Amino acid sequence: MTRRVEDRFAGLPDGFSRADLILACMPLLFLAGYGAGALAFDGRPAATAIAAAACAPLMLEGLFVNPPEGG
C-alpha cells in the first residue's frame, strides 16, 4: 500500500505553539549553559548549577507568566 505525501503530513499541526518552542529550546539552553559552566569552572556541580540557572527563567516564564492553555 502506498501513501501520498499529503497523507503522511495530515496529522501534523500547522505551526508551533509557544509551549512547543519552550520545550524544544530547554535542552539546547541546558547544553549551552553546561558547556559555559564547564569551561568557566572545573567541576560538574558548578556546570550543572549554571545550566539549571540558565533554564530557570525560561521554565518559569512558560509556566507562570504565559502558561499553556488547555486544548
Side-chain angles (χ1 to χ4, degrees):
M1 179 172 138
T2 59
R3 296 187 322 185
R4 298 178 305 182
V5 174
E6 295 84 17
D7 294 338
R8 287 186 214 154
F9 298 108
L12 295 177
D14 292 334
F16 294 107
S17 69
R18 183 180 190 91
D20 293 333
L21 293 175
I22 288 173
L23 288 174
C25 291
M26 289 291 284
L28 299 174
L29 187 60
F30 190 87
L31 284 174
Y34 189 87
L39 289 175
F41 301 101
D42 195 26
R44 288 184 185 169
T48 304
I50 289 173
C55 291
L58 186 61
M59 180 183 63
L60 294 173
E61 188 272 334
L63 287 173
F64 298 110
V65 177
N66 294 314
E69 299 186 16

